[in-house]
Amino acid sequence: ETGVTQTPRHLVMGMTNKKSLKCEQHLGHNAMYWYKQSAKKPLELMFVYNFKEQTENNSVPSRFSPECPNSSHLFLHLHTLQPEDSALYLCASSQDSTMNTEAFFGQGTRLTVV
Amino acid sequence: EDQVTQSPEALRLQEGESSSLNCSYTVSGLRGLFWYRQDPGKGPEFLFTLYSAGEEKEKERLKATLTKKESFLHITAPKPEDSATYLCAVQVNYGGSQGNLIFGKGTKLSVKP
């Protein structure tokens, strides 16, 4: 248990569906992140929020839409995804994205787009 | 371009057979280097942070070292429960992404009894 909880753990969705991934952290951190992990590739940073403000969008397609209502919660809204979007989506948090402190990860959501 | 390269991609060891994993990096300014362990279907678990060349950190059978160009994760007398993918990541000290992690592809370690 790292203090970062992601739901659901597994998700299968059609290309026309709309779904959301949820992340919650109980560590008192101010920065939250979304990463994508695909087979044989390094973790890819998608979005960064620091003190609820989005500070990084790493050229992510608009079919992925993040939302950070407060420093403890982060969502990733999904719509009209493609099969190549199937991957493990990881949420992480750290004290502050401008500081060199370690990030703690959730268990991930395994997404399959059919 | 910032780059993190891990080798080997996969490593098979017998229980008790010590070895090292390598992480080489090419960045203009290093703020910190991180090692994580990842079990199948789970998120990465934090192991170590190293900030400057010459620094070393230990945890049970693992020891991480850092030079100006690379880091090593030494595994002494590994056990089957050490089997996992080990990820290396760096933070850079410039630009707008100073806190963000740049990951390598990882080394998948298998330890046989």
Side-chain angles (χ1 to χ4, degrees):
Chain A
E1 177 59 52
T2 64
V4 181
T5 304
Q6 291 187 242
T7 55
R9 292 294 310 277
H10 301 272
L11 178 63
V12 179
M13 59 185 290
M15 290 190 286
T16 59
N17 292 160
K18 289 185 179 181
K19 296 287 185 182
S20 295
L21 309 185
K22 179 182 176 181
C23 177
E24 183 174 1
Q25 57 96 1
H26 306 278
L27 301 170
H29 288 164
N30 297 301
M32 296 189 79
Y33 310 78
W34 280 117
Y35 283 87
K36 175 183 179 182
Q37 188 173 36
S38 305
K40 304 294 184 183
K41 296 175 72 174
L43 269 77
E44 301 171 59
L45 179 65
M46 299 175 71
F47 300 104
V48 181
Y49 279 83
N50 203 38
F51 294 89
K52 300 190 298 178
E53 298 297 320
Q54 187 179 125
T55 58
E56 180 115 3
N57 176 336
N58 200 21
S59 303
V60 180
S62 60
R63 57 185 183 271
F64 295 91
S65 175
E67 178 189 1
C68 188
N70 54 61
S71 292
S72 298
H73 293 86
L74 184 65
F75 296 89
L76 187 62
H77 303 299
L78 315 171
H79 65 98
T80 58
L81 295 191
Q82 305 298 312
E84 59 264 29
D85 296 322
S86 299
L88 182 67
Y89 287 85
L90 291 161
C91 172
S93 72
S94 70
Q95 188 59 48
D96 184 326
S97 69
T98 64
M99 296 168 60
N100 54 338
T101 56
E102 58 269 18
F104 293 90
F105 286 82
Q107 297 299 294
T109 295
R110 172 66 63 184
L111 173 67
T112 303
V113 181
V114 297
Chain B
E1 181 183 344
D2 300 327
Q3 202 162 15
V4 178
T5 304
Q6 290 188 246
S7 61
E9 275 190 32
L11 181 62
R12 293 185 178 186
L13 299 174
Q14 288 297 126
E15 184 171 3
E17 180 187 1
S18 302
S19 188
S20 298
L21 312 182
N22 177 264
C23 172
S24 63
Y25 58 90
T26 308
V27 297
S28 298
L30 180 73
R31 295 190 77 184
L33 185 140
F34 300 79
W35 282 99
Y36 287 85
R37 168 192 170 130
Q38 187 174 24
D39 293 299
K42 295 190 175 182
E45 174 189 345
F46 171 73
L47 293 174
F48 303 109
T49 309
L50 301 167
Y51 293 108
S52 57
E55 190 175 358
E56 300 183 352
K57 288 194 176 173
E58 287 188 66
K59 179 180 180 180
E60 296 180 352
R61 294 176 293 282
L62 301 177
K63 179 180 176 180
T65 62
L66 180 65
T67 71
K68 289 187 177 180
K69 294 184 178 181
E70 58 192 349
S71 176
F72 291 94
L73 185 65
H74 306 279
I75 303 177
T76 302
K79 297 182 178 182
E81 53 261 42
D82 295 322
S83 298
T85 295
Y86 291 84
L87 302 173
C88 171
V90 299
Q91 274 182 341
V92 298
N93 64 2
Y94 49 87
S97 308
Q98 293 178 11
N100 302 342
L101 295 172
I102 304 168
F103 279 88
K105 292 184 179 181
T107 293
K108 184 175 182 180
L109 174 66
S110 300
V111 182
K112 302 298 182 186

